[in-house]
Amino acid sequence: MGGLTELWRSDRVVRLAPVGAVACSAVLPLVQVGLAFSYVGNGVSTGLWSLAATAVYLPLHLRHVWYAARAHRPPLGGWSLVAMTAVILGATPLAGNMWPRAYTALVVSFLLVLPAPWSYLGYVVVVAAAAPVAHALGLSWTAAPWLTFSVLGGSAALLLLVWLAAALTRLQAAREALAQRAVMQERRRIDDDLRHSLGSALESIAARGDRAASIAKSEPAAAAADLTGLAQESRRTLAEARRRVRGYRQPSLRAELETAASLLTAAGIATRLDLPHGGIPDTIAPRSRGALRATVTRLLRAGPIGTCTITATVLDGRVLLDVRAGDSTETIEVRA
């Protein structure tokens, strides 16, 4: 239950991260509108122009943020960026000398929509123009640099939120892809196992049944002997099928190890999996599986780790897993 609760919380964070990025991106422009009515020297008309321009460009900006926070490029993002740029720049002479603070949303959208290097070029040009434009609108040179710092700091904070949300979304997608790949690997393993074990047994049963049917009239005694052997082989095959089904209900050790290695590799940790030539048991006990997953989780949450090696050793009928990451080594005893 604890693992399920943690997973649910993680999924909830991923779902809410884009919403949080959009909400934070809307706060600064709305505060800007409120302050536009209170700045000394600004009239009501200045505040109204700021309100009208914000009402037009803010939905476009939040659309860019929403798609970027979900790790997607906004469709027709270039056209919406052109419209947003036209609104913000067009309102500059009318919305007061503090309106260049709205350039924060503009440069953020540049980085979210445009490809490099055009996004970086647009960012630098707009940020550099913020202070001269504000001064041309009547802001003193002593206050103009602070406006530039405001655009830089605000854009950095918003971009950090958006990129963090996008990183969480990509990580969740990678986890789901790894889980699907683990399921497919387990299905292929079961299919190969059934084809090489029960498949050959069923073919033998079918061949003996056909032979018994073909000689039933000409050689009744031989047909009866074949039918007796057929019944015995069917019982053995049925027992083998039941044994394998019970084994399939238990988690596979190999699948757990491959999933652990895939997760660590996806996190940027070069992971090598060393298995004995004689093979390993098919199943792993829930307690051992929990210990392995706890170790992988600890490694994912730890600081930068360059390499990791997971070595399986069979010793006196026991399987020992040595997880070596950096200078630390953890040994896990596997019980079937």
Side-chain angles (χ1 to χ4, degrees):
M1 290 298 294
L4 292 177
T5 302
E6 183 178 353
L7 178 61
W8 179 82
R9 288 177 179 173
S10 175
D11 291 341
R12 183 177 62 176
V13 168
V14 173
R15 291 194 301 268
L16 293 180
V19 178
V22 170
C24 292
S25 299
V27 170
L28 187 61
L30 295 178
V31 172
Q32 169 73 19
V33 171
L35 294 177
F37 289 94
S38 62
Y39 288 136
V40 178
N42 286 351
V44 176
S45 61
T46 300
L48 292 177
W49 275 110
S50 177
L51 176 62
T54 302
V56 175
Y57 88 77
L58 185 56
L60 301 176
H61 173 58
L62 296 183
R63 178 176 179 268
H64 301 157
V65 172
W66 172 254
Y67 276 97
R70 296 168 64 236
H72 295 299
R73 287 277 185 180
L76 300 178
W79 291 106
S80 59
L81 181 60
V82 169
M84 179 181 172
T85 304
V87 171
I88 292 178
L89 297 183
T92 297
L94 305 170
N97 54 24
M98 297 302 292
W99 175 251
R101 280 187 176 177
Y103 293 177
T104 301
L106 184 60
V107 296
V108 169
S109 288
F110 276 168
L111 291 179
L112 298 181
V113 175
L114 295 179
W118 303 111
S119 57
Y120 303 135
L121 179 62
Y123 184 93
V124 172
V125 170
V126 173
V127 171
V133 169
H135 177 68
L137 295 175
L139 191 66
S140 64
W141 273 120
T142 57
W146 292 105
L147 190 143
T148 301
F149 291 140
S150 175
V151 174
L152 285 172
S155 61
L158 294 179
L159 287 170
L160 180 61
L161 289 174
V162 173
W163 284 334
L164 178 61
L168 289 174
T169 301
R170 292 190 183 96
L171 179 60
Q172 180 69 8
R175 290 174 55 188
E176 293 176 356
L178 289 172
Q180 293 177 357
R181 189 169 68 178
V183 170
M184 294 302 298
Q185 289 176 347
E186 186 67 9
R187 287 178 177 175
R188 286 195 295 268
R189 185 186 71 84
I190 293 175
D191 181 68
D192 294 340
D193 189 20
L194 291 177
R195 184 170 61 251
H196 290 96
S197 58
L198 298 182
S200 59
L202 292 175
E203 291 176 357
S204 176
I205 290 174
R208 296 188 68 170
D210 292 340
R211 180 175 180 276
S214 64
I215 64 174
K217 294 182 179 180
S218 59
E219 302 180 37
D226 278 341
L227 290 176
T228 300
L230 181 62
Q232 295 176 350
E233 188 171 355
S234 298
R235 293 190 186 97
R236 288 193 299 270
T237 304
L238 179 60
E240 177 67 14
R242 288 174 175 172
R243 186 186 68 81
R244 292 186 177 276
V245 168
R246 285 194 298 268
Y248 295 149
R249 292 175 180 173
Q250 299 178 359
S252 168
L253 174 57
R254 179 179 290 272
E256 287 290 331
L257 293 176
E258 291 177 350
T259 301
S262 299
L263 284 172
L264 294 173
T265 302
I269 303 174
T271 304
R272 188 176 78 252
L273 187 60
D274 291 337
L275 301 179
H277 296 292
I280 56 177
D282 294 332
T283 60
I284 179 174
R287 179 175 297 181
S288 301
R289 180 181 57 177
L292 176 60
R293 292 184 176 183
T295 301
V296 173
T297 302
R298 179 180 58 79
L299 294 178
L300 292 175
R301 292 177 177 176
I305 299 175
T307 61
C308 177
T309 303
I310 303 177
T311 305
T313 305
V314 179
L315 181 63
D316 296 333
R318 300 181 304 161
V319 178
L320 300 178
L321 297 178
D322 291 328
V323 182
R324 185 178 296 104
D327 297 332
S328 64
T329 302
E330 183 171 345
T331 301
I332 302 172
E333 182 177 354
V334 177
R335 299 182 182 274

